[in-house]
Coordinates of all heavy atoms in Angstrom, one line a residue:
M334 N 0.8 -1.2 0.0 CA 0.0 0.0 0.0 C 0.9 1.2 0.0 O 1.9 1.3 0.7 CB -0.9 0.0 1.2 CG -2.0 -1.0 1.2 SD -3.0 -0.9 2.7 CE -4.2 -2.2 2.4
R335 N 0.5 2.2 -0.8 CA 1.2 3.5 -0.8 C 1.2 4.2 0.6 O 0.1 4.2 1.2 CB 0.6 4.4 -1.8 CG 1.3 5.8 -2.0 CD 0.6 6.6 -3.0 NE 0.5 6.1 -4.3 CZ 1.5 6.2 -5.2 NH1 2.6 6.9 -4.9 NH2 1.4 5.7 -6.4
G336 N 2.3 4.6 1.0 CA 2.4 5.3 2.3 C 3.0 4.4 3.4 O 3.4 4.9 4.5
V337 N 3.0 3.0 3.2 CA 3.5 2.1 4.2 C 5.0 1.8 3.8 O 5.2 1.2 2.7 CB 2.7 0.8 4.2 CG1 3.3 -0.2 5.2 CG2 1.3 1.1 4.7
E338 N 5.9 2.1 4.7 CA 7.3 1.8 4.4 C 7.7 0.4 4.4 O 8.4 -0.1 3.5 CB 8.2 2.6 5.4 CG 8.2 4.1 5.3 CD 9.2 4.7 6.2 OE1 10.1 4.0 6.6 OE2 9.0 5.9 6.6
R339 N 7.2 -0.4 5.3 CA 7.6 -1.8 5.5 C 6.4 -2.6 6.1 O 6.1 -2.5 7.3 CB 8.8 -1.9 6.4 CG 9.4 -3.2 6.5 CD 10.2 -3.6 5.2 NE 11.3 -2.7 5.0 CZ 12.5 -2.8 5.5 NH1 12.8 -3.9 6.3 NH2 13.5 -2.0 5.2
P340 N 5.7 -3.3 5.3 CA 4.6 -4.2 5.8 C 5.1 -5.1 6.9 O 6.3 -5.5 6.9 CB 4.1 -5.0 4.6 CG 4.4 -4.0 3.4 CD 5.7 -3.4 3.8
A341 N 4.2 -5.5 7.8 CA 4.7 -6.4 8.9 C 3.7 -7.4 9.2 O 2.5 -7.3 8.8 CB 4.9 -5.5 10.1
L342 N 4.1 -8.4 10.0 CA 3.2 -9.5 10.4 C 2.6 -9.1 11.8 O 3.3 -8.8 12.7 CB 4.0 -10.8 10.6 CG 4.3 -11.6 9.3 CD1 5.2 -12.7 9.5 CD2 3.0 -12.2 8.7
A343 N 1.3 -9.2 11.8 CA 0.6 -8.9 13.1 C -0.4 -10.0 13.4 O -0.9 -10.7 12.6 CB -0.2 -7.6 12.9
S344 N -0.5 -10.2 14.7 CA -1.4 -11.3 15.2 C -2.1 -10.9 16.5 O -1.5 -10.1 17.3 CB -0.6 -12.6 15.4 OG -1.5 -13.6 15.8
A345 N -3.2 -11.5 16.8 CA -3.9 -11.3 18.1 C -3.2 -12.3 19.0 O -3.0 -13.4 18.7 CB -5.4 -11.6 18.0
F346 N -2.9 -11.8 20.2 CA -2.1 -12.5 21.2 C -2.9 -12.5 22.5 O -3.6 -11.5 22.8 CB -0.8 -11.8 21.4 CG 0.4 -12.8 21.5 CD1 0.8 -13.5 20.5 CD2 1.1 -12.9 22.7 CE1 1.9 -14.4 20.5 CE2 2.2 -13.7 22.8 CZ 2.6 -14.5 21.7
P347 N -2.9 -13.6 23.3 CA -3.7 -13.6 24.5 C -3.2 -12.7 25.6 O -2.0 -12.5 25.8 CB -3.6 -15.1 25.0 CG -2.3 -15.6 24.4 CD -2.2 -14.9 23.0
S348 N -4.2 -12.0 26.2 CA -3.9 -11.1 27.3 C -4.6 -11.5 28.6 O -5.7 -11.9 28.6 CB -4.4 -9.7 26.9 OG -4.2 -8.7 27.9
F349 N -3.9 -11.4 29.7 CA -4.4 -11.8 31.0 C -4.4 -10.6 31.9 O -3.4 -9.9 32.0 CB -3.5 -12.9 31.6 CG -3.5 -14.2 30.8 CD1 -2.5 -14.3 29.8 CD2 -4.4 -15.2 31.0 CE1 -2.5 -15.5 29.0 CE2 -4.3 -16.4 30.3 CZ -3.4 -16.5 29.3
G350 N -5.5 -10.4 32.6 CA -5.5 -9.3 33.6 C -6.0 -8.0 33.1 O -6.2 -7.1 33.9
G351 N -6.1 -7.9 31.8 CA -6.6 -6.6 31.2 C -8.1 -6.6 30.9 O -8.8 -7.5 31.3
Q352 N -8.5 -5.5 30.2 CA -9.9 -5.4 29.9 C -10.3 -6.2 28.7 O -11.5 -6.4 28.4 CB -10.2 -3.9 29.6 CG -10.0 -3.0 30.9 CD -10.3 -1.5 30.5 OE1 -10.3 -1.1 29.4 NE2 -10.5 -0.8 31.6
H353 N -9.3 -6.6 27.9 CA -9.6 -7.3 26.7 C -8.9 -8.7 26.6 O -7.9 -8.9 27.3 CB -9.1 -6.5 25.5 CG -9.6 -5.1 25.5 ND1 -11.0 -4.8 25.2 CD2 -9.0 -3.9 25.8 CE1 -11.1 -3.5 25.3 NE2 -10.0 -2.9 25.7
D354 N -9.5 -9.6 25.9 CA -8.9 -11.0 25.8 C -7.6 -11.1 25.0 O -6.8 -12.0 25.2 CB -10.0 -11.9 25.2 CG -11.2 -12.1 26.0 OD1 -11.1 -12.0 27.3 OD2 -12.3 -12.4 25.5
D355 N -7.5 -10.2 24.1 CA -6.3 -10.2 23.2 C -5.7 -8.8 23.0 O -6.3 -7.8 23.2 CB -6.7 -10.8 21.8 CG -7.3 -12.2 21.9 OD1 -6.6 -13.1 22.3 OD2 -8.4 -12.3 21.5
F356 N -4.4 -8.8 22.5 CA -3.8 -7.6 22.1 C -3.1 -7.9 20.8 O -2.9 -9.0 20.3 CB -2.8 -7.1 23.1 CG -1.6 -8.0 23.3 CD1 -0.4 -7.7 22.6 CD2 -1.6 -9.0 24.2 CE1 0.7 -8.5 22.8 CE2 -0.5 -9.8 24.4 CZ 0.7 -9.5 23.7
V357 N -2.8 -6.8 20.0 CA -2.1 -6.9 18.7 C -0.6 -6.9 19.0 O -0.1 -6.0 19.7 CB -2.5 -5.8 17.8 CG1 -1.7 -5.9 16.5 CG2 -4.0 -5.8 17.5
F358 N 0.1 -7.9 18.4 CA 1.5 -8.0 18.5 C 2.1 -8.0 17.1 O 1.8 -8.8 16.3 CB 1.9 -9.3 19.2 CG 3.3 -9.4 19.7 CD1 4.2 -8.3 19.8 CD2 3.9 -10.7 20.0 CE1 5.5 -8.4 20.2 CE2 5.2 -10.8 20.5 CZ 6.0 -9.7 20.5
M359 N 3.0 -7.0 16.8 CA 3.7 -6.9 15.5 C 5.0 -6.1 15.7 O 5.1 -5.3 16.6 CB 2.8 -6.2 14.5 CG 2.5 -4.7 14.9 SD 1.3 -3.9 13.8 CE 2.2 -3.8 12.3
D360 N 6.0 -6.4 14.9 CA 6.2 -7.3 13.8 C 6.6 -8.7 14.4 O 7.5 -8.8 15.2 CB 7.2 -6.8 12.8 CG 7.5 -7.6 11.6 OD1 6.7 -8.5 11.3 OD2 8.5 -7.5 11.0
L361 N 6.1 -9.8 13.8 CA 6.4 -11.1 14.3 C 7.4 -11.9 13.5 O 7.5 -13.1 13.6 CB 5.1 -11.9 14.4 CG 4.1 -11.4 15.4 CD1 2.8 -12.3 15.4 CD2 4.7 -11.3 16.8
G362 N 8.2 -11.2 12.6 CA 9.2 -11.8 11.9 C 9.3 -11.5 10.4 O 10.1 -12.1 9.7
A363 N 8.5 -10.6 10.0 CA 8.5 -10.2 8.6 C 9.8 -9.5 8.2 O 10.4 -9.6 7.1 CB 7.3 -9.3 8.2
N364 N 10.3 -8.7 9.2 CA 11.5 -7.9 8.9 C 12.6 -8.1 10.0 O 12.3 -7.8 11.2 CB 11.2 -6.4 8.9 CG 10.0 -6.1 7.9 OD1 10.2 -6.1 6.7 ND2 8.8 -5.9 8.5
A365 N 13.7 -8.7 9.7 CA 14.7 -8.9 10.7 C 15.3 -7.6 11.2 O 15.8 -7.6 12.4 CB 15.8 -9.8 10.1
E366 N 15.3 -6.6 10.4 CA 15.9 -5.3 10.8 C 14.8 -4.2 10.5 O 14.1 -4.3 9.5 CB 17.2 -5.0 10.1 CG 18.3 -6.0 10.4 CD 19.6 -5.6 9.7 OE1 19.6 -4.6 8.9 OE2 20.6 -6.3 9.8
N367 N 14.8 -3.2 11.4 CA 13.8 -2.2 11.2 C 14.5 -0.8 11.5 O 15.4 -0.7 12.3 CB 12.6 -2.3 12.2 CG 11.7 -3.5 11.8 OD1 11.6 -4.5 12.4 ND2 10.9 -3.2 10.7
K368 N 13.9 0.2 10.9 CA 14.3 1.6 11.2 C 13.3 2.1 12.2 O 12.2 1.6 12.4 CB 14.2 2.4 9.9 CG 15.2 2.1 8.8 CD 15.0 2.9 7.6 CE 16.0 2.6 6.5 NZ 15.7 3.4 5.3
P369 N 13.6 3.2 12.9 CA 12.7 3.8 13.9 C 11.4 4.2 13.2 O 10.3 4.0 13.8 CB 13.4 5.1 14.3 CG 14.9 4.7 14.2 CD 15.0 3.9 13.0
S370 N 11.4 4.6 12.0 CA 10.2 5.0 11.3 C 9.3 3.8 11.0 O 8.0 4.0 11.0 CB 10.5 5.7 10.0 OG 11.3 4.9 9.1

């Protein structure tokens, strides 16, 4: 997509003790190295 520098892998991950059952965790391995941006 135009405007996205580096697509990434995202997944719902289980959360305990919070208000929601899951949270979003990314990047899960699409890019071994990343820039701050």
